[in-house]
Protein backbone atom coordinates (compact mmCIF):
# COMPACT_ATOMS: atom_id res chain seq x y z
CA UNK A 1 0.00 0.00 0.00
CA UNK A 2 1.44 3.32 -1.11
CA UNK A 3 -0.03 6.60 -2.25
CA UNK A 4 2.54 8.02 -4.64
CA UNK A 5 2.38 11.76 -5.28
CA UNK A 6 4.70 14.56 -6.32
CA UNK A 7 5.35 15.14 -2.63
CA UNK A 8 6.34 11.56 -1.82
CA UNK A 9 8.59 11.45 -4.88
CA UNK A 10 10.28 14.76 -4.02
CA UNK A 11 11.26 13.66 -0.52
CA UNK A 12 11.50 9.91 -1.00
CA UNK A 13 8.86 9.18 1.65
CA UNK A 14 6.26 6.41 1.61
CA UNK A 15 3.20 8.41 2.56
CA UNK A 16 1.82 11.85 1.55
CA UNK A 17 1.78 13.01 5.16
CA UNK A 18 3.85 15.73 6.81
CA UNK A 19 4.05 16.74 10.46
CA UNK A 20 3.11 20.35 11.05
CA UNK A 21 6.16 22.01 12.67
CA UNK A 22 4.31 22.99 15.84
CA UNK A 23 6.33 24.98 18.35
CA UNK A 24 6.21 23.34 21.77
CA UNK A 25 5.03 20.00 20.37
CA UNK A 26 7.06 18.93 17.34
CA UNK A 27 10.43 18.22 18.91
CA UNK A 28 13.14 15.99 17.55
CA UNK A 29 11.61 12.75 18.82
CA UNK A 30 8.20 13.45 17.25
CA UNK A 31 9.66 14.60 13.93
CA UNK A 32 11.93 11.55 13.81
CA UNK A 33 9.03 9.21 14.61
CA UNK A 34 6.88 10.65 11.82
CA UNK A 35 9.77 10.22 9.40
CA UNK A 36 10.36 6.64 10.54
CA UNK A 37 6.67 5.99 9.94
CA UNK A 38 7.07 7.00 6.31
CA UNK A 39 5.95 10.62 6.44
CA UNK A 40 7.99 13.82 6.51
CA UNK A 41 8.79 14.91 10.06
CA UNK A 42 9.17 18.67 10.38
CA UNK A 43 10.80 19.98 13.55
CA UNK A 44 8.95 22.89 15.16
CA UNK A 45 11.69 25.53 15.09
CA UNK A 46 9.12 28.29 15.68
CA UNK A 47 10.88 31.39 17.04
CA UNK A 48 14.36 30.00 16.40
CA UNK A 49 15.49 29.50 19.99
CA UNK A 50 19.15 28.54 19.67
CA UNK A 51 19.39 26.33 22.75
CA UNK A 52 16.23 24.45 21.83
CA UNK A 53 17.46 23.91 18.28
CA UNK A 54 20.84 22.72 19.52
CA UNK A 55 19.08 20.08 21.62
CA UNK A 56 16.41 18.93 19.16
CA UNK A 57 18.09 19.14 15.76
CA UNK A 58 20.56 16.28 16.35
CA UNK A 59 17.69 14.00 17.42
CA UNK A 60 15.77 14.29 14.18
CA UNK A 61 18.91 14.57 12.05
CA UNK A 62 20.02 11.22 13.44
CA UNK A 63 16.84 9.44 12.36
CA UNK A 64 18.33 8.32 9.07
CA UNK A 65 15.11 9.35 7.31
CA UNK A 66 14.01 12.43 5.33
CA UNK A 67 13.20 15.30 7.65
CA UNK A 68 12.86 19.06 7.78
CA UNK A 69 12.40 22.03 10.07
CA UNK A 70 9.84 24.81 10.19
CA UNK A 71 10.11 28.43 11.33
CA UNK A 72 7.87 31.46 11.83
CA UNK A 73 9.02 33.95 9.18
CA UNK A 74 8.02 37.00 11.20
CA UNK A 75 9.88 35.88 14.33
CA UNK A 76 13.29 34.55 13.28
CA UNK A 77 16.63 35.82 12.02
CA UNK A 78 18.98 34.25 9.51
CA UNK A 79 21.07 32.77 12.31
CA UNK A 80 18.32 30.32 13.24
CA UNK A 81 17.98 29.16 9.64
CA UNK A 82 21.74 28.79 9.32
CA UNK A 83 21.85 26.72 12.52
CA UNK A 84 19.26 24.35 11.10
CA UNK A 85 20.96 24.14 7.72
CA UNK A 86 24.17 22.98 9.40
CA UNK A 87 22.35 19.70 10.07
CA UNK A 88 21.42 19.20 6.38
CA UNK A 89 17.63 19.05 6.56
CA UNK A 90 15.81 17.88 3.48
CA UNK A 91 13.41 20.80 3.76
CA UNK A 92 12.88 24.12 5.50
CA UNK A 93 9.32 25.35 5.93
CA UNK A 94 8.57 29.04 6.41
CA UNK A 95 5.19 30.21 7.69
CA UNK A 96 3.45 33.47 8.59
CA UNK A 97 5.08 36.65 7.39
CA UNK A 98 7.53 37.45 4.62
CA UNK A 99 9.76 34.44 3.88
CA UNK A 100 11.93 36.26 1.33
CA UNK A 101 14.86 37.11 3.68
CA UNK A 102 15.52 33.39 4.13
CA UNK A 103 14.62 31.66 0.89
CA UNK A 104 17.93 32.03 -0.93
CA UNK A 105 19.86 30.58 2.01
CA UNK A 106 17.59 27.56 2.03
CA UNK A 107 17.88 26.97 -1.69
CA UNK A 108 21.64 27.53 -1.70
CA UNK A 109 22.02 24.86 0.97
CA UNK A 110 20.21 22.34 -1.22
CA UNK A 111 17.16 22.00 1.03
CA UNK A 112 13.67 21.99 -0.42
CA UNK A 113 11.78 25.21 0.26
CA UNK A 114 8.29 24.78 1.73
CA UNK A 115 6.19 27.91 2.17
CA UNK A 116 2.86 27.94 3.98
CA UNK A 117 0.24 30.34 2.65
CA UNK A 118 -3.07 31.57 4.00
CA UNK A 119 -4.31 33.60 1.03
CA UNK A 120 -3.77 33.90 -2.71
CA UNK A 121 -1.39 36.85 -2.46
CA UNK A 122 0.90 34.75 -0.27
CA UNK A 123 0.54 31.85 -2.73
CA UNK A 124 1.67 34.02 -5.64
CA UNK A 125 4.63 35.25 -3.61
CA UNK A 126 5.58 31.65 -2.78
CA UNK A 127 5.69 30.79 -6.47
CA UNK A 128 7.78 33.89 -7.23
CA UNK A 129 10.23 32.87 -4.48
CA UNK A 130 10.66 29.43 -6.01
CA UNK A 131 8.89 27.32 -3.41
CA UNK A 132 9.30 23.59 -4.01
CA UNK A 133 6.15 22.84 -2.01
CA UNK A 134 3.33 25.15 -0.95
CA UNK A 135 1.13 24.47 2.08
CA UNK A 136 -2.40 25.83 1.74
CA UNK A 137 -3.70 26.38 5.26
CA UNK A 138 -7.42 26.65 5.88
CA UNK A 139 -9.00 28.33 8.87
CA UNK A 140 -10.03 25.04 10.49
CA UNK A 141 -6.44 24.57 11.60
CA UNK A 142 -5.38 24.63 15.22
CA UNK A 143 -2.96 27.28 16.41
CA UNK A 144 -2.29 30.33 14.32
CA UNK A 145 -3.76 31.10 10.93
CA UNK A 146 -5.21 33.93 8.90
CA UNK A 147 -7.75 36.17 10.62
CA UNK A 148 -9.52 36.62 7.27
CA UNK A 149 -8.63 33.25 5.76
CA UNK A 150 -10.73 30.68 3.93
CA UNK A 151 -11.85 27.17 4.78
CA UNK A 152 -9.68 24.30 3.64
CA UNK A 153 -12.21 22.72 1.27
CA UNK A 154 -12.59 25.72 -1.09
CA UNK A 155 -9.10 27.15 -0.52
CA UNK A 156 -6.94 24.15 -1.42
CA UNK A 157 -8.14 23.56 -5.02
CA UNK A 158 -7.87 27.27 -5.82
CA UNK A 159 -4.26 27.26 -4.61
CA UNK A 160 -3.57 24.00 -6.50
CA UNK A 161 -4.76 25.60 -9.74
CA UNK A 162 -2.95 28.87 -9.09
CA UNK A 163 0.50 27.46 -8.31
CA UNK A 164 0.59 24.41 -10.62
CA UNK A 165 2.84 22.53 -11.19
CA UNK A 166 4.21 23.24 -7.68
CA UNK A 167 2.90 20.50 -5.36
CA UNK A 168 0.54 21.61 -2.61
CA UNK A 169 -0.06 20.19 0.85
CA UNK A 170 -3.46 20.78 2.40
CA UNK A 171 -3.59 21.89 6.04
CA UNK A 172 -6.43 22.62 8.42
CA UNK A 173 -9.06 20.27 9.79
CA UNK A 174 -7.27 17.05 8.78
CA UNK A 175 -6.92 14.51 11.58
CA UNK A 176 -7.50 11.11 10.00
CA UNK A 177 -6.92 9.21 6.80
CA UNK A 178 -10.23 10.31 5.33
CA UNK A 179 -8.98 13.88 5.55
CA UNK A 180 -5.77 12.87 3.78
CA UNK A 181 -7.85 11.23 1.05
CA UNK A 182 -9.97 14.36 0.74
CA UNK A 183 -6.83 16.47 0.35
CA UNK A 184 -5.66 14.24 -2.48
CA UNK A 185 -9.10 14.43 -4.11
CA UNK A 186 -8.85 18.23 -4.02
CA UNK A 187 -5.66 18.03 -6.06
CA UNK A 188 -3.17 18.35 -3.20
CA UNK A 189 -0.08 16.13 -3.14
CA UNK A 190 -0.50 15.39 0.55
CA UNK A 191 -1.55 16.74 3.92
CA UNK A 192 0.20 18.67 6.67
CA UNK A 193 -1.24 17.51 10.00
CA UNK A 194 -0.90 19.22 13.37
CA UNK A 195 -3.50 18.66 16.09
CA UNK A 196 -3.60 14.88 15.62
CA UNK A 197 0.17 14.65 16.18
CA UNK A 198 0.05 16.70 19.38
CA UNK A 199 -1.69 13.71 20.94
CA UNK A 200 1.05 11.14 20.37
CA UNK A 201 3.58 9.41 22.57
CA UNK A 202 6.49 11.54 21.34
CA UNK A 203 4.84 14.97 21.45
CA UNK A 204 6.44 17.56 23.71
CA UNK A 205 3.12 18.85 25.04
CA UNK A 206 2.35 18.21 28.69
CA UNK A 207 0.38 14.97 29.21
CA UNK A 208 -2.52 17.00 30.58
CA UNK A 209 -2.66 18.99 27.34
CA UNK A 210 -2.61 15.83 25.26
CA UNK A 211 -5.47 14.42 27.32
CA UNK A 212 -7.43 17.65 26.91
CA UNK A 213 -7.05 17.29 23.14
CA UNK A 214 -8.28 13.69 23.29
CA UNK A 215 -11.34 14.86 25.21
CA UNK A 216 -11.87 18.01 23.10
CA UNK A 217 -14.64 18.84 20.65
CA UNK A 218 -14.48 20.91 17.49
CA UNK A 219 -17.39 23.13 18.52
CA UNK A 220 -15.37 24.18 21.56
CA UNK A 221 -12.53 25.60 19.48
CA UNK A 222 -12.37 29.30 18.77
CA UNK A 223 -10.19 31.57 16.65
CA UNK A 224 -9.27 34.80 18.41
CA UNK A 225 -6.44 37.22 19.31
CA UNK A 226 -7.40 37.51 22.97
CA UNK A 227 -4.87 35.00 24.26
CA UNK A 228 -2.01 36.44 22.19
CA UNK A 229 -2.72 39.91 23.57
CA UNK A 230 -3.09 38.72 27.15
CA UNK A 231 0.10 36.64 27.03
CA UNK A 232 2.09 39.46 25.45
CA UNK A 233 2.78 37.37 22.35
CA UNK A 234 4.08 39.45 19.45
CA UNK A 235 2.07 37.75 16.73
CA UNK A 236 1.04 40.09 13.89
CA UNK A 237 -2.64 41.04 14.06
CA UNK A 238 -3.16 39.42 10.65
CA UNK A 239 -3.01 36.03 12.38
CA UNK A 240 -5.35 34.72 15.05
CA UNK A 241 -5.12 31.45 16.96
CA UNK A 242 -7.61 28.59 17.20
CA UNK A 243 -7.67 27.06 20.68
CA UNK A 244 -9.95 25.11 22.93
CA UNK A 245 -11.91 27.09 25.49
CA UNK A 246 -10.14 29.34 27.99
CA UNK A 247 -11.44 31.63 30.76
CA UNK A 248 -9.88 34.67 29.10
CA UNK A 249 -11.87 34.04 25.94
CA UNK A 250 -15.07 34.17 27.95
CA UNK A 251 -13.92 37.30 29.76
CA UNK A 252 -12.63 39.29 26.77
CA UNK A 253 -14.49 37.96 23.74
CA UNK A 254 -15.46 40.91 21.55
CA UNK A 255 -13.28 43.29 23.59
CA UNK A 256 -9.91 42.71 21.95
CA UNK A 257 -9.31 46.43 21.37
CA UNK A 258 -9.93 47.17 25.04
CA UNK A 259 -7.51 44.44 26.10
CA UNK A 260 -4.87 45.61 23.61
CA UNK A 261 -5.13 49.21 24.80
CA UNK A 262 -3.23 48.29 27.99
CA UNK A 263 -0.89 45.47 26.94
CA UNK A 264 1.42 45.65 29.96
CA UNK A 265 -1.48 45.57 32.39
CA UNK A 266 -3.06 42.71 30.45
CA UNK A 267 0.14 40.65 30.52
CA UNK A 268 0.70 41.20 34.24
CA UNK A 269 -2.89 40.21 35.00
CA UNK A 270 -2.52 37.06 32.91
CA UNK A 271 0.72 36.12 34.63
CA UNK A 272 -0.84 36.69 38.04
CA UNK A 273 -3.79 34.44 37.16
CA UNK A 274 -1.37 31.74 35.97
CA UNK A 275 0.64 32.03 39.21
CA UNK A 276 -2.52 31.59 41.27
CA UNK A 277 -3.49 28.54 39.24
CA UNK A 278 -6.69 30.21 38.03
CA UNK A 279 -5.85 29.63 34.36
CA UNK A 280 -3.46 27.32 32.46
CA UNK A 281 -0.10 28.78 31.51
CA UNK A 282 -0.62 28.10 27.81
CA UNK A 283 -3.65 27.83 25.55
CA UNK A 284 -4.49 24.43 24.13
CA UNK A 285 -3.99 24.82 20.40
CA UNK A 286 -6.48 22.58 18.58
CA UNK A 287 -8.20 22.51 15.21
CA UNK A 288 -11.81 21.78 14.31
CA UNK A 289 -11.06 18.10 13.65
CA UNK A 290 -10.08 17.53 17.30
CA UNK A 291 -13.12 15.24 17.76
CA UNK A 292 -11.26 12.66 15.65
CA UNK A 293 -8.39 12.51 18.15
CA UNK A 294 -9.26 9.73 20.57
CA UNK A 295 -5.98 8.16 21.67
CA UNK A 296 -2.26 8.73 22.20
CA UNK A 297 -0.46 6.36 19.83
CA UNK A 298 3.21 6.27 18.84
CA UNK A 299 3.59 8.71 15.96
CA UNK A 300 5.14 6.19 13.55
CA UNK A 301 2.16 3.87 14.03
CA UNK A 302 -0.18 6.79 13.51
CA UNK A 303 1.39 7.68 10.16
CA UNK A 304 0.93 4.10 8.98
CA UNK A 305 -2.68 4.06 10.18
CA UNK A 306 -3.50 7.38 8.52
CA UNK A 307 -2.04 6.20 5.22
CA UNK A 308 -3.96 2.93 5.36
CA UNK A 309 -7.21 4.72 6.11
CA UNK A 310 -6.58 7.19 3.28
CA UNK A 311 -5.91 4.34 0.85
CA UNK A 312 -9.10 2.60 1.94
CA UNK A 313 -11.15 5.79 1.64
CA UNK A 314 -9.92 6.40 -1.90
CA UNK A 315 -10.58 2.78 -2.84
CA UNK A 316 -14.12 3.01 -1.50
CA UNK A 317 -14.71 6.25 -3.40
CA UNK A 318 -13.50 4.58 -6.57
CA UNK A 319 -15.85 1.64 -6.08
CA UNK A 320 -18.79 3.92 -5.33
Amino acid sequence: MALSTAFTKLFGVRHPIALAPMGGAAGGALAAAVSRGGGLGLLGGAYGDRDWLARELPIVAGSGQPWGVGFLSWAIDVGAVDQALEHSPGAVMLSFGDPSPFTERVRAAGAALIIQVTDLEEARQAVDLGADVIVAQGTESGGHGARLGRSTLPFVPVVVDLVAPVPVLAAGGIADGRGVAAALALGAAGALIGTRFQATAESLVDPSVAQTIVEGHGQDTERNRVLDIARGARWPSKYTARTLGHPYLDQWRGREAELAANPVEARLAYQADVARGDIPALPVWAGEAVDLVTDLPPAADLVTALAAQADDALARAGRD
Side-chain angles (χ1 to χ4, degrees):
M1 182 275 299
L3 296 170
S4 178
T5 71
F7 169 77
T8 62
K9 293 174 183 176
L10 176 62
F11 292 105
V13 297
R14 295 194 303 277
H15 307 305
I17 294 169
L19 168 67
M22 303 168 288
L30 178 53
V34 169
S35 291
R36 287 195 301 271
L40 182 67
L42 294 171
L43 187 73
Y47 302 92
D49 180 89
R50 302 297 200 274
D51 292 339
W52 190 91
L53 289 170
R55 182 177 67 249
E56 301 296 332
L57 279 165
I59 298 173
V60 64
S63 68
Q65 302 294 328
W67 66 279
V69 58
F71 292 106
L72 304 173
S73 297
W74 67 266
I76 60 168
D77 57 29
V78 294
V81 175
D82 288 344
Q83 184 178 1
L85 291 173
E86 290 174 359
H87 293 264
S88 301
V92 173
M93 177 172 160
L94 301 169
S95 306
F96 307 119
D98 181 11
S100 60
F102 316 105
T103 55
E104 285 306 314
R105 302 178 100 83
V106 173
R107 298 180 65 82
L113 175 63
I114 304 176
I115 298 179
Q116 180 167 257
V117 305
T118 62
D119 59 38
L120 297 185
E121 181 180 352
E122 292 179 350
R124 294 187 185 95
Q125 182 193 32
V127 172
D128 291 342
L129 291 172
D132 296 293
V133 176
I134 292 173
V135 176
Q137 187 204 45
T139 55
E140 297 94 328
S141 61
H144 286 84
R147 180 171 58 89
L148 299 176
R150 299 165 66 179
S151 296
T152 304
L153 184 66
F155 184 51
V156 169
V158 174
V159 174
V160 168
D161 292 346
L162 177 66
V163 307
V166 180
V168 172
L169 296 181
I174 301 172
D176 69 2
R178 292 170 297 181
V180 176
L184 297 176
L186 292 173
L192 184 87
I193 300 176
T195 301
R196 170 66 271 202
F197 281 111
Q198 283 196 91
T200 53
E202 297 85 358
S203 174
L204 290 179
V205 301
D206 187 272
S208 64
V209 172
Q211 189 59 40
T212 299
I213 290 172
V214 167
E215 297 170 357
H217 298 287
Q219 68 264 27
D220 297 328
T221 68
E222 181 176 344
R223 185 169 289 285
N224 210 300
R225 286 192 67 228
V226 165
L227 294 172
D228 281 342
I229 296 169
R231 294 184 304 118
R234 297 180 295 112
W235 273 86
S237 60
K238 177 180 179 179
Y239 304 111
T240 56
R242 183 176 296 282
T243 71
L244 286 170
H246 189 283
Y248 265 55
L249 295 178
D250 297 332
Q251 181 179 350
W252 291 99
R253 186 178 295 110
R255 300 164 57 204
E256 291 182 29
E258 181 182 346
L259 186 65
N262 297 290
V264 175
E265 180 180 332
R267 185 173 67 254
L268 291 175
Y270 186 91
Q271 292 171 347
D273 285 342
V274 169
R276 285 193 297 268
D278 294 339
I279 60 172
L282 291 173
V284 178
W285 320 107
E288 289 187 10
V290 68
D291 305 77
L292 300 173
V293 181
T294 59
D295 58 1
L296 300 165
D301 293 348
L302 176 59
V303 174
T304 302
L306 292 174
Q309 189 181 26
D311 186 66
D312 182 65
L314 289 170
R316 289 176 179 274
R319 288 196 299 269
D320 294 343

